[in-house]
Amino acid sequence: MTRFDSPESAFVSPLSPDWTIADVLEWIAASDDRCHDERLLGILDAVDRALHPSSARAATRVVVHVRALAARVAAEPSVGERVLGEVLAVRDRETPAVAEGEVLVPA
């Protein structure tokens, strides 16, 4: 898996929009530190809101989103096959991006 840092993209993170949700969870599981990497908070929150807007939570910790996403994939395996770029493309276009250096939401 490679990092995606196109200057035209608002997708700033150690992740890539072509990763599946299962890829993201696998990458996070490879290092315990990643479950606490604050750069992932914005992207995981965006994925949570995109997948289930009515059940989205205002989590302030990455680990909360990771656990929720892992539970969602366990309950509904097809969610793990979804690609980040596609999941986030369904997001509301008016959602503001987070501060530079943090993970963000596609514009």
Side-chain angles (χ1 to χ4, degrees), residues 52-69:
H52 295 284
S54 63
S55 68
R57 63 196 85 6
T60 57
R61 294 180 29 207
V62 174
V63 70
V64 173
H65 282 298
V66 171
R67 288 177 180 161
L69 190 55

Side-chain angles (χ1 to χ4, degrees), residues 7-8 16 20-21 25 29 33 45 48 53 62 65-66 75 85:
E8 304 88 41
S16 172
T20 65
I21 291 174
L25 291 173
D33 291 341
D45 181 58
D48 190 35
V62 174
H65 282 298
V66 171

Side-chain angles (χ1 to χ4, degrees), residues 22-100:
D23 291 337
V24 172
L25 291 173
E26 182 180 322
W27 179 80
I28 291 170
S31 172
D32 197 41
D33 291 341
R34 292 176 183 161
C35 202
H36 304 284
D37 185 342
E38 292 301 316
R39 295 177 302 161
L40 301 177
L41 186 57
I43 197 86
L44 293 175
D45 181 58
V47 168
D48 190 35
R49 287 184 285 138
L51 290 173
H52 295 284
S54 63
S55 68
R57 63 196 85 6
T60 57
R61 294 180 29 207
V62 174
V63 70
V64 173
H65 282 298
V66 171
R67 288 177 180 161
L69 190 55
R72 191 167 284 143
V73 169
E76 195 177 336
S78 63
V79 170
E81 298 170 12
R82 305 234 1 230
V83 176
L84 285 178
E86 292 172 3
V87 168
L88 296 177
V90 299
R91 294 279 329 278
D92 181 359
R93 297 284 182 192
E94 296 179 17
T95 301
V98 295
E100 184 175 329

